Amino acid sequence: MKKFYTVLLSMLAFACISMSAENLGTKYTGNVTISLDPTEPIVVEQSVYLKPTGTGLSTFALYDFKLDPTMPQPMGNIVVENVTTTNVYAEGSTNFKKYVGSAEGIKLDLEGSEINASAQIEGYESIDGTLAVTINVIWHMDASTDIPIPVSFEGKKDLGELGQEYFGLVRIILDPTEPIAVPDQKVYLRAEGGTSATFGLYNFKLDPTMPFPMGDIVVPVNVATNADKSLTYTGSIDELYLTLETPNDINASATINGTETETGVLTVKIGVTWHAEGTDGIPFNVTFKGTKSGSGAVSLVKASKAKAFGTVGAINVANCNGIVKAYTLNGSLAMSQTVNGNATINMPAGIYLVVMDGTACRVVVK
């Protein structure tokens, strides 16, 4: 009887309302651990999703759950809405956000038999995108009998299924006279079928020195093919939540207008409007220019042996024959000098984007 009871529990899975995982937010991939028997926990490779839904609120979802990776069919999904999201970042700490939430009246399925349950989640997300969550599910067998099903998840933000990657430079135009240049950025375009696609700029920061990202700018777009074989991308989203001081405290909308050449060079204007209370909307524009990764197109940053690195009070340049320019992170030209071979260029302490011989790199001067 005890063996049958254990087997019965091992076949439990979570079932909730049917929703599209693709539309539920950012994906985290890792391992789900089910500890029905603490001495022999079941570990299943799995993904979960988190989506900001309001100021200090998120939705957590675990889809296509399997207690055993050899099961032929997933057993169902669990979704917890209105998860309280708080900022726990402190200088020198690892954790960034904390998630706490619960769901009542969840319908579980055991081989076609409906089971009532509730669930509680609590977890932390670190600055590097690692997510650790405990998911305590309670099976309410009858009015007097509850059976706990301890579940946990640990994994990292997954950018592996976001579509075609483009690598280049982001400019943030808060002040048109001093745009902020952020090098070495990636955006993604994922085909959704027909003329539809999804544009994604992940881990967005208004300033590269910010201790944690504001969030993800993900916008559905329409794709049009032009006579010269270039592509045009246009789209918008009304409900976009970003983090400044409190998680999801920026309620914004965004528009996308972009073109991609036949050779894979992508230029995009991202218009973001922060709908702050008491204002008509605070705009900040973002641009991206980059090249399709692995496309074979001419890269915006060509191969070069020239290198630059920062030291105390200087930028050291090696293997360069030509003009070296250094820009501050707000886009201002801080230095321009011709170098033949190697050079040490005295500079104030700071972070610079150094451009030379067709290459660009980020340099820290102490």
Side-chain angles (χ1 to χ4, degrees), residues 11-324:
M11 296 181 68
L12 268 178
F14 310 122
C16 192
I17 57 175
S18 177
M19 298 176 65
S20 169
E22 290 186 354
N23 297 326
L24 201 67
T26 301
K27 179 180 179 180
Y28 300 79
T29 297
N31 291 321
V32 166
T33 301
I34 303 100
S35 302
L36 293 170
D37 181 352
T39 63
E40 296 183 6
I42 302 168
V43 180
V44 183
E45 185 177 344
Q46 198 79 22
S47 297
V48 302
Y49 296 80
L50 276 168
K51 181 179 180 179
T53 55
T55 301
L57 295 174
S58 301
T59 293
F60 172 89
L62 172 58
Y63 283 89
D64 297 331
F65 183 80
K66 287 186 176 183
L67 286 175
D68 187 319
T70 63
M71 294 178 69
Q73 297 291 332
M75 303 298 290
N77 314 313
I78 183 167
V79 176
V80 180
E81 298 180 337
N82 297 320
V83 175
T84 300
T85 308
T86 54
N87 187 345
V88 294
Y89 174 78
E91 187 174 356
S93 69
T94 300
N95 289 329
F96 165 33
K97 292 181 181 179
K98 181 180 180 180
Y99 301 96
V100 177
S102 62
E104 300 289 339
I106 296 175
K107 302 300 180 182
L108 305 184
D109 181 79
L110 178 62
E111 293 191 320
S113 299
E114 184 178 280
I115 299 170
N116 293 318
S118 59
Q120 296 179 337
I121 71 164
E122 181 172 335
Y124 293 87
E125 181 177 356
S126 63
I127 295 172
D128 68 356
T130 299
L131 180 68
V133 184
T134 59
I135 311 162
N136 294 316
V137 179
I138 306 297
W139 172 11
H140 305 297
M141 290 191 66
D142 53 44
S144 60
T145 305
D146 289 342
I147 298 177
I149 308 169
V151 181
S152 63
F153 170 84
E154 185 167 350
K156 293 198 70 171
K157 183 178 287 190
D158 186 353
L159 303 183
E161 296 181 2
L162 300 176
Q164 176 61 55
E165 178 185 275
Y166 299 79
F167 182 82
L169 177 71
V170 164
R171 290 187 182 275
I172 302 152
I173 311 170
L174 293 169
D175 181 350
T177 63
E178 295 185 357
I180 300 171
V182 188
D184 302 333
Q185 294 293 292
K186 297 176 182 178
V187 303
Y188 297 83
L189 278 166
R190 182 180 65 202
E192 304 292 0
T195 60
S196 297
T198 298
F199 171 88
L201 170 56
Y202 293 84
N203 300 321
F204 173 70
K205 290 184 177 184
L206 270 178
D207 188 305
T209 63
M210 291 178 68
F212 50 79
M214 296 178 68
D216 304 327
I217 299 178
V218 180
V219 182
V221 295
N222 182 69
V223 185
T225 303
N226 305 312
D228 61 357
K229 297 184 180 180
S230 66
L231 301 174
T232 299
Y233 301 100
T234 56
S236 63
I237 188 169
D238 292 329
E239 295 295 325
L240 178 68
Y241 292 96
L242 300 172
T243 293
L244 191 59
E245 294 182 355
T246 301
N248 317 329
D249 61 348
I250 295 180
N251 180 8
S253 57
T255 59
I256 295 291
N257 288 282
T259 59
E260 181 180 352
T261 68
E262 187 180 2
T263 57
V265 176
L266 179 67
T267 304
V268 182
K269 180 180 179 180
I270 310 160
V272 181
T273 301
W274 176 6
H275 302 292
E277 187 175 353
T279 71
D280 293 330
I282 302 172
F284 57 91
N285 293 319
V286 181
T287 63
F288 171 84
K289 187 170 185 180
T291 302
K292 181 186 292 185
S293 299
S295 67
V298 177
S299 174
L300 294 181
V301 181
K302 65 183 181 181
S304 172
K305 294 182 180 179
K307 297 184 181 299
F309 57 94
T311 58
V312 177
I315 294 175
N316 287 340
V317 178
N319 302 318
C320 178
N321 291 288
I323 297 176
V324 177

